[in-house]
Amino acid sequence: MLSKTHTKYIQSLQHKKFRDESKLFIAEGPKVLLDLLESRKFTCKEIFGLQDWVTGNKIQVSALTGAALETVMDFELEKISALSSPNHVLAVFEKGIQNTDVPLTGKITLALDSIRDPGNLGTIIRIADWFGLTHIICSETCADMYNPKVVQSTMGSLGRVNIVYTDLVVWMKKNKEFKIYSASLNGKPVQSFGQLKEGILIIGNEAHGIGHELMPLANEKITIPKMGTAESLNAAVATGIILSHIT
């Protein structure tokens, strides 16, 4: 049985303040958990699973981590879960150390400006992983990569993509020798660019786009031509469309 104290401690990790203080985060669901364990990027502290899941996965999990594996009841998992429908297993991981060594030569690198929606950020991380991008540079106003909704939306890609939080304007100026592309409503059609071997692609805030200090730093603006009457595209959708053309 999970004690009330332990339950409250795990519940507290749904909030950034306590994640920052403890340097821990939670990950839920069989695929997310196993992908994070296999990546070896984060140290697993403890795992809580339903009986059937523990029985079927104990050997595999034990081969990947020495973390304690505890069987819990449905109602206990529901109490500690951040999901509306808990998914078999929840684990507590240590946050990774931020790797600021980001090689830009010969590859496309994503830069995200104030992506505040956790679901969008998680989906963008997953999209980046799909297209083989290994680094994402986030402004300090982006959602927290360890937010449970972000972790869940990445579907394990968090273990394969390096995320760096920094002052994006300062970082861009330091790397101005590289071509910088911005997603914009007014620019060249994405179809006209073809495959790019190198560069930085900026994706802006869901509602307001790229910040006024950042936009002038871009060398080229990329537009996804509109054929209907929608006002704008979801940031993650736009990222996927652009990367499908330039990678």
Side-chain angles (χ1 to χ4, degrees):
M1 287 285 291
L2 275 171
S3 68
K4 287 185 178 179
T5 301
H6 208 159
T7 297
K8 287 183 178 179
Y9 142 71
I10 297 170
Q11 289 172 337
S12 74
L13 299 179
Q14 296 180 27
H15 305 285
K16 188 176 187 301
K17 174 184 176 182
F18 295 105
R19 292 195 298 272
D20 289 346
E21 289 178 356
S22 64
K23 298 187 180 349
L24 300 172
F25 70 99
I26 59 174
E28 299 190 58
K31 174 172 174 49
V32 175
L33 169 61
L34 293 175
D35 276 8
L36 290 183
L37 289 178
E38 289 173 355
S39 76
R40 308 285 185 178
K41 185 175 178 179
F42 306 104
T43 300
C44 187
K45 302 292 289 182
E46 49 189 347
I47 302 171
F48 306 91
L50 300 180
Q51 181 66 65
D52 288 349
W53 189 89
V54 172
T55 301
N57 294 274
K58 189 172 184 178
I59 295 176
Q60 182 180 7
V61 169
S62 297
L64 293 170
T65 178
L69 179 55
E70 184 173 343
T71 300
V72 294
M73 302 295 288
D74 296 61
F75 72 91
E76 292 178 295
L77 186 61
E78 186 174 350
K79 283 184 179 179
I80 60 176
S81 175
L83 303 175
S84 55
S85 298
N87 191 3
H88 300 288
V89 62
L90 178 149
V92 177
F93 285 89
E94 290 182 0
K95 290 183 176 184
I97 297 173
Q98 180 165 277
N99 177 16
T100 57
D101 181 19
V102 180
L104 302 178
T105 302
K107 60 183 64 183
I108 299 296
T109 301
L110 268 185
L112 305 181
D113 184 26
S114 297
I115 300 296
R116 300 178 187 274
D117 182 86
N120 268 347
L121 178 58
T123 302
I124 289 172
I125 294 170
R126 188 178 176 186
I127 289 169
D129 188 22
W130 176 267
F131 285 103
L133 277 63
T134 52
H135 300 277
I136 297 178
I137 313 301
C138 291
S139 70
E140 293 164 336
T141 51
C142 281
D144 177 20
M145 62 182 279
Y146 297 112
N147 181 302
K149 290 183 180 179
V150 174
V151 177
Q152 188 66 24
S153 298
T154 70
M155 292 302 291
S157 292
L158 193 66
R160 295 183 289 271
V161 180
N162 178 41
I163 316 296
V164 176
Y165 286 81
T166 189
D167 183 319
L168 211 50
V169 173
V170 172
W171 185 85
M172 287 290 182
K173 290 179 178 178
K174 286 181 179 178
N175 293 285
K176 61 184 179 180
E177 70 270 24
F178 293 93
K179 195 76 174 286
I180 300 174
Y181 303 87
S182 62
S184 172
L185 291 175
N186 301 300
K188 293 181 182 179
V190 65
Q191 297 92 331
S192 67
F193 284 87
Q195 188 174 14
L196 302 178
K197 294 182 178 180
E198 180 179 275
I200 300 165
L201 171 62
I202 313 172
I203 302 294
N205 176 270
E206 295 90 342
H208 306 293
I210 297 169
H212 68 277
E213 287 185 276
L214 204 53
M215 184 62 89
L217 301 178
N219 309 114
E220 293 270 15
K221 294 181 180 179
I222 300 179
T223 295
I224 300 169
K226 182 171 72 169
M227 298 179 184
T229 56
E231 183 180 346
S232 62
L233 283 174
N234 172 282
V237 171
T239 302
I241 293 172
I242 293 173
L243 289 180
S244 72
H245 282 82
I246 68 173
T247 59

